[in-house]
Structures are given as structure tokens and as C-alpha cells.
Short mmCIF file of all heavy atoms in Angstrom, two decimals:
data_model
loop_
_atom_site.label_atom_id
_atom_site.label_comp_id
_atom_site.label_asym_id
_atom_site.label_seq_id
_atom_site.Cartn_x
_atom_site.Cartn_y
_atom_site.Cartn_z
N SER A 1 77.83 102.98 103.24
CA SER A 1 78.79 102.99 104.39
C SER A 1 79.84 101.91 104.18
O SER A 1 81.05 102.16 104.41
CB SER A 1 78.06 102.79 105.71
OG SER A 1 77.37 101.53 105.68
N ASN A 2 79.43 100.75 103.75
CA ASN A 2 80.41 99.66 103.46
C ASN A 2 81.30 99.98 102.31
O ASN A 2 82.49 99.70 102.28
CB ASN A 2 79.69 98.30 103.22
CG ASN A 2 79.07 97.76 104.49
OD1 ASN A 2 79.53 98.05 105.62
ND2 ASN A 2 78.03 96.95 104.35
N TYR A 3 80.69 100.66 101.27
CA TYR A 3 81.44 101.02 100.08
C TYR A 3 82.61 101.97 100.45
O TYR A 3 83.74 101.76 100.05
CB TYR A 3 80.50 101.65 99.07
CG TYR A 3 81.25 102.32 97.90
CD1 TYR A 3 81.71 101.55 96.85
CD2 TYR A 3 81.42 103.68 97.84
CE1 TYR A 3 82.42 102.11 95.78
CE2 TYR A 3 82.08 104.28 96.80
CZ TYR A 3 82.56 103.49 95.78
OH TYR A 3 83.22 104.08 94.73
N PHE A 4 82.27 102.98 101.21
CA PHE A 4 83.30 104.00 101.56
C PHE A 4 84.31 103.41 102.52
O PHE A 4 85.48 103.77 102.47
CB PHE A 4 82.63 105.27 102.12
CG PHE A 4 81.99 106.10 101.07
CD1 PHE A 4 80.60 106.30 101.09
CD2 PHE A 4 82.76 106.74 100.12
CE1 PHE A 4 80.01 107.11 100.08
CE2 PHE A 4 82.18 107.50 99.14
CZ PHE A 4 80.79 107.68 99.12
N ARG A 5 83.84 102.51 103.39
CA ARG A 5 84.79 101.85 104.30
C ARG A 5 85.79 101.02 103.52
O ARG A 5 87.01 101.10 103.73
CB ARG A 5 84.06 100.98 105.32
CG ARG A 5 84.97 100.36 106.38
CD ARG A 5 84.25 99.48 107.32
NE ARG A 5 83.70 98.31 106.62
CZ ARG A 5 82.43 97.95 106.61
NH1 ARG A 5 81.55 98.67 107.28
NH2 ARG A 5 82.03 96.87 105.96
N ASP A 6 85.30 100.25 102.57
CA ASP A 6 86.17 99.40 101.74
C ASP A 6 87.10 100.27 100.84
O ASP A 6 88.25 99.93 100.66
CB ASP A 6 85.35 98.49 100.86
CG ASP A 6 84.58 97.44 101.68
OD1 ASP A 6 84.98 97.22 102.86
OD2 ASP A 6 83.60 96.86 101.14
N LEU A 7 86.55 101.40 100.40
CA LEU A 7 87.36 102.29 99.53
C LEU A 7 88.52 102.85 100.35
O LEU A 7 89.64 102.96 99.90
CB LEU A 7 86.47 103.37 98.96
CG LEU A 7 87.23 104.43 98.05
CD1 LEU A 7 87.83 103.71 96.83
CD2 LEU A 7 86.23 105.52 97.65
N THR A 8 88.18 103.27 101.58
CA THR A 8 89.20 103.83 102.44
C THR A 8 90.29 102.80 102.72
O THR A 8 91.49 103.14 102.71
CB THR A 8 88.56 104.30 103.76
OG1 THR A 8 87.60 105.30 103.48
CG2 THR A 8 89.64 104.89 104.67
N LYS A 9 89.89 101.55 103.02
CA LYS A 9 90.88 100.51 103.25
C LYS A 9 91.74 100.32 102.03
O LYS A 9 92.97 100.10 102.14
CB LYS A 9 90.15 99.21 103.60
CG LYS A 9 89.57 99.18 105.00
CD LYS A 9 88.92 97.85 105.29
CE LYS A 9 88.31 97.80 106.70
NZ LYS A 9 87.69 96.49 106.96
N MET A 10 91.16 100.36 100.85
CA MET A 10 91.90 100.09 99.62
C MET A 10 92.94 101.22 99.40
O MET A 10 94.10 100.97 99.03
CB MET A 10 90.93 100.03 98.42
CG MET A 10 91.64 99.70 97.12
SD MET A 10 90.45 99.59 95.75
CE MET A 10 89.93 101.32 95.61
N ILE A 11 92.53 102.49 99.63
CA ILE A 11 93.45 103.61 99.44
C ILE A 11 94.60 103.50 100.44
O ILE A 11 95.74 103.71 100.11
CB ILE A 11 92.69 104.94 99.60
CG1 ILE A 11 91.71 105.10 98.44
CG2 ILE A 11 93.64 106.08 99.65
CD1 ILE A 11 90.79 106.30 98.57
N TYR A 12 94.25 103.19 101.72
CA TYR A 12 95.29 103.08 102.71
C TYR A 12 96.27 102.00 102.36
O TYR A 12 97.49 102.17 102.47
CB TYR A 12 94.66 102.78 104.05
CG TYR A 12 95.65 102.60 105.18
CD1 TYR A 12 96.27 103.72 105.78
CD2 TYR A 12 96.02 101.31 105.60
CE1 TYR A 12 97.20 103.55 106.81
CE2 TYR A 12 96.94 101.16 106.61
CZ TYR A 12 97.52 102.26 107.23
OH TYR A 12 98.42 102.11 108.20
N LYS A 13 95.77 100.83 101.91
CA LYS A 13 96.64 99.75 101.53
C LYS A 13 97.55 100.14 100.39
O LYS A 13 98.77 99.81 100.36
CB LYS A 13 95.80 98.52 101.16
CG LYS A 13 96.63 97.28 100.83
CD LYS A 13 95.72 96.06 100.57
CE LYS A 13 96.56 94.86 100.25
NZ LYS A 13 95.71 93.68 99.97
N GLU A 14 97.01 100.85 99.42
CA GLU A 14 97.80 101.29 98.27
C GLU A 14 98.94 102.23 98.73
O GLU A 14 100.05 102.13 98.26
CB GLU A 14 96.93 101.96 97.24
CG GLU A 14 97.69 102.39 96.00
CD GLU A 14 96.80 103.06 94.95
OE1 GLU A 14 95.56 102.96 95.11
OE2 GLU A 14 97.33 103.65 94.02
N ARG A 15 98.58 103.13 99.65
CA ARG A 15 99.60 104.07 100.12
C ARG A 15 100.69 103.36 100.88
O ARG A 15 101.88 103.66 100.72
CB ARG A 15 98.96 105.14 101.02
CG ARG A 15 98.10 106.15 100.27
CD ARG A 15 97.55 107.19 101.20
NE ARG A 15 96.89 108.27 100.44
CZ ARG A 15 96.37 109.34 101.01
NH1 ARG A 15 96.42 109.51 102.33
NH2 ARG A 15 95.81 110.29 100.29
N VAL A 16 100.32 102.40 101.72
CA VAL A 16 101.34 101.65 102.43
C VAL A 16 102.23 100.87 101.50
O VAL A 16 103.44 100.85 101.62
CB VAL A 16 100.67 100.69 103.49
CG1 VAL A 16 101.70 99.76 104.06
CG2 VAL A 16 99.97 101.49 104.55
N ASN A 17 101.62 100.23 100.50
CA ASN A 17 102.37 99.44 99.51
C ASN A 17 103.33 100.30 98.73
O ASN A 17 104.37 99.81 98.25
CB ASN A 17 101.43 98.66 98.59
CG ASN A 17 100.72 97.51 99.31
OD1 ASN A 17 101.16 97.09 100.35
ND2 ASN A 17 99.60 97.05 98.75
N ASN A 18 102.96 101.53 98.55
CA ASN A 18 103.83 102.46 97.75
C ASN A 18 104.69 103.35 98.69
O ASN A 18 105.21 104.37 98.23
CB ASN A 18 102.96 103.33 96.82
CG ASN A 18 102.42 102.57 95.65
OD1 ASN A 18 103.14 102.28 94.72
ND2 ASN A 18 101.15 102.19 95.72
N ASN A 19 104.79 102.92 99.95
CA ASN A 19 105.59 103.68 100.92
C ASN A 19 105.16 105.12 101.11
O ASN A 19 105.98 106.00 101.33
CB ASN A 19 107.08 103.61 100.54
CG ASN A 19 107.62 102.20 100.58
OD1 ASN A 19 107.32 101.47 101.50
ND2 ASN A 19 108.40 101.85 99.57
N TYR A 20 103.85 105.37 100.93
CA TYR A 20 103.36 106.73 101.12
C TYR A 20 102.39 106.71 102.31
O TYR A 20 101.40 106.03 102.29
CB TYR A 20 102.62 107.25 99.88
CG TYR A 20 101.90 108.57 100.17
CD1 TYR A 20 102.60 109.74 100.16
CD2 TYR A 20 100.55 108.56 100.46
CE1 TYR A 20 101.98 110.92 100.49
CE2 TYR A 20 99.91 109.75 100.77
CZ TYR A 20 100.63 110.93 100.79
OH TYR A 20 100.02 112.11 101.09
N MET A 21 102.76 107.45 103.32
CA MET A 21 101.85 107.67 104.43
C MET A 21 101.99 109.12 104.86
O MET A 21 103.08 109.67 104.73
CB MET A 21 102.19 106.73 105.60
CG MET A 21 101.86 105.27 105.31
SD MET A 21 102.19 104.22 106.80
CE MET A 21 100.85 104.79 107.88
N GLU A 22 100.94 109.67 105.37
CA GLU A 22 101.05 111.08 105.85
C GLU A 22 102.01 111.15 107.02
O GLU A 22 101.92 110.39 107.96
CB GLU A 22 99.66 111.58 106.27
CG GLU A 22 99.66 113.05 106.61
CD GLU A 22 98.26 113.54 106.87
OE1 GLU A 22 97.75 113.29 107.99
OE2 GLU A 22 97.67 114.22 105.97
N ILE A 23 102.94 112.09 106.95
CA ILE A 23 103.97 112.27 107.96
C ILE A 23 103.55 113.42 108.86
O ILE A 23 103.59 114.60 108.42
CB ILE A 23 105.35 112.50 107.34
CG1 ILE A 23 105.71 111.37 106.37
CG2 ILE A 23 106.38 112.64 108.42
CD1 ILE A 23 105.84 110.01 107.01
N THR A 24 103.14 113.13 110.07
CA THR A 24 102.70 114.15 111.01
C THR A 24 103.69 114.40 112.15
O THR A 24 103.48 115.28 112.95
CB THR A 24 101.35 113.76 111.58
OG1 THR A 24 101.45 112.48 112.23
CG2 THR A 24 100.27 113.70 110.50
N SER A 25 104.74 113.57 112.22
CA SER A 25 105.78 113.74 113.22
C SER A 25 107.13 113.50 112.59
O SER A 25 107.31 112.58 111.79
CB SER A 25 105.55 112.78 114.38
OG SER A 25 106.69 112.73 115.23
N ILE A 26 108.11 114.31 112.98
CA ILE A 26 109.44 114.11 112.43
C ILE A 26 109.99 112.75 112.86
O ILE A 26 110.88 112.22 112.20
CB ILE A 26 110.38 115.27 112.91
CG1 ILE A 26 111.68 115.25 112.08
CG2 ILE A 26 110.68 115.17 114.39
CD1 ILE A 26 112.57 116.44 112.33
N ASN A 27 109.49 112.20 113.91
CA ASN A 27 109.95 110.89 114.39
C ASN A 27 109.60 109.74 113.43
O ASN A 27 110.07 108.62 113.59
CB ASN A 27 109.43 110.59 115.78
CG ASN A 27 109.94 111.58 116.80
OD1 ASN A 27 111.10 111.99 116.75
ND2 ASN A 27 109.10 111.99 117.75
N GLN A 28 108.71 110.00 112.49
CA GLN A 28 108.37 109.01 111.48
C GLN A 28 109.44 108.91 110.38
O GLN A 28 109.39 107.99 109.56
CB GLN A 28 107.00 109.33 110.82
CG GLN A 28 105.81 109.20 111.77
CD GLN A 28 104.54 109.68 111.08
OE1 GLN A 28 104.12 110.80 111.32
NE2 GLN A 28 103.97 108.81 110.26
N LEU A 29 110.38 109.82 110.38
CA LEU A 29 111.39 109.87 109.34
C LEU A 29 112.68 109.27 109.84
O LEU A 29 112.95 109.24 111.03
CB LEU A 29 111.64 111.33 108.90
CG LEU A 29 110.37 112.07 108.38
CD1 LEU A 29 110.71 113.51 108.12
CD2 LEU A 29 109.86 111.41 107.10
#
């Protein structure tokens, strides 16, 4: 559980750092 939680955090951080986030609303653009 801790492994997957840390992995998820790492992936999210990488996406933010690379300006990639899932866009679910046009208002995010």
C-alpha cells in the first residue's frame, strides 16, 4: 500500500514537472 502510494505521488510529481496533467475541463486551458 505504501509502495503504490509513493509510486502514485512520484508519477504525479513527474507529470506536473513536465507540464502534463489530465485535462478534464476546457477551463484548464
Side-chain angles (χ1 to χ4, degrees):
S1 61
N2 288 335
Y3 170 78
F4 284 115
R5 184 183 65 237
D6 293 342
L7 180 62
T8 301
K9 287 182 178 179
M10 183 178 68
I11 292 171
Y12 178 79
K13 184 176 180 180
E14 182 180 348
R15 288 183 172 183
V16 171
N17 289 341
N18 286 284
N19 296 317
Y20 170 80
M21 292 185 67
E22 187 174 76
I23 303 297
T24 57
S25 169
I26 193 171
N27 296 322
Q28 293 174 260
L29 302 173

